[in-house]
Amino acid sequence: GAGVSQSPSNKVTEKGKDVELRCDPISGHTALYWYRQSLGQGLEFLIYFQGNSAPDKSGLPSDRFSAERTGGSVSTLTIQRTQQEDSAVYLCASSLGGGGSDEQYFGPGTRLTVT
Amino acid sequence: SQQGEEDPQALSIQEGENATMNCSYKTSINNLQWYRQNSGRGLVHLILIRSNEREKHSGRLRVTLDTSKKSSSLLITASRAADTASYFCATDARGSNYKLTFGKGTLLTVNP
């Protein structure tokens, strides 16, 4: 079946502009995660959605970052007033349940470049 | 700081050789997972080892876990050029319930 998809695959934007990144998780997966990966670094946790529960936003680096998950499926990560330090690959993952022992399935990522 | 720290940061070997990567972590965990990433894009799950397990095998992969030393190792036997990738360990800390914390990864290059 289809895996996790993300769009766009690449996004170049000017400093100060807003961007929206989209994630389509695997159908039936209740948990959805957003991560950020800077060049040569590991993954930085941003936000976690599980079913209808309130999301864990503890990883969002500033109030310029927000995310929604509509209907328990598609998620959008929005970055307002982008800064150059926001340049990174943004990865979305989903898992069947929300436990830490669940395998996470990753999308191909969105490479964001802020000029 | 990262919960998981892999070493070495980079490893270059010849095809057919074995590759060993290590991961150390700081807090007690429920389980530890290893992922592979090609070309800076999405990660692929390789193997999960639970805190009560000491060793696990999957094909050419062997993972060990030493909870007393808070460390894990990933061994890839008979490496192939296609194994060239970055390898990350991810820990599920006790009490986190769902949050995986990733290390910075080991870049493995397998030369043909």
Side-chain angles (χ1 to χ4, degrees), chain A residues 40-56:
Chain A
Q41 299 295 309
L43 275 68
E44 175 188 3
F45 167 81
L46 297 178
I47 189 169
Y48 162 77
F49 295 91
Q50 169 61 289
N52 296 320
S53 302
D56 176 354

Side-chain angles (χ1 to χ4, degrees), chain A residues 33-99:
Chain A
Y33 310 77
W34 282 98
Y35 296 91
R36 177 169 72 174
Q37 185 178 31
S38 301
L39 187 63
Q41 299 295 309
L43 275 68
E44 175 188 3
F45 167 81
L46 297 178
I47 189 169
Y48 162 77
F49 295 91
Q50 169 61 289
N52 296 320
S53 302
D56 176 354
K57 305 178 182 181
S58 61
L60 295 178
S62 77
D63 58 8
R64 297 186 295 105
F65 288 72
S66 62
E68 290 184 340
R69 189 179 185 191
T70 54
S73 180
V74 172
S75 177
T76 302
L77 177 68
T78 301
I79 308 173
Q80 296 178 310
R81 305 180 302 282
T82 52
Q83 304 293 313
Q84 288 186 332
E85 61 262 28
D86 299 335
S87 296
V89 175
Y90 289 81
L91 293 162
C92 173
S94 69
S95 64
L96 189 60

Side-chain angles (χ1 to χ4, degrees), chain A residues 9-10 35 37 41-42 45 48 56 58 98-104 106-109 111, chain B residues 2 31 33 35 37 39-43 45 48 50 88 92 97-100 102-104:
Chain A
S9 56
N10 287 284
Y35 296 91
Q37 185 178 31
Q41 299 295 309
F45 167 81
Y48 162 77
D56 176 354
S58 61
S101 61
D102 282 355
E103 175 182 347
Q104 294 187 18
F106 282 80
R111 186 179 300 278
Chain B
Q2 298 282 351
N31 61 70
Q33 303 184 37
Y35 285 80
Q37 183 179 40
S39 304
R41 289 298 197 169
L43 280 72
H45 178 265
L48 177 149
R50 302 188 187 283
F88 296 87
D92 164 29
N97 196 39
Y98 57 80
K99 191 180 300 184
L100 289 183
F102 288 80
K104 293 185 178 180

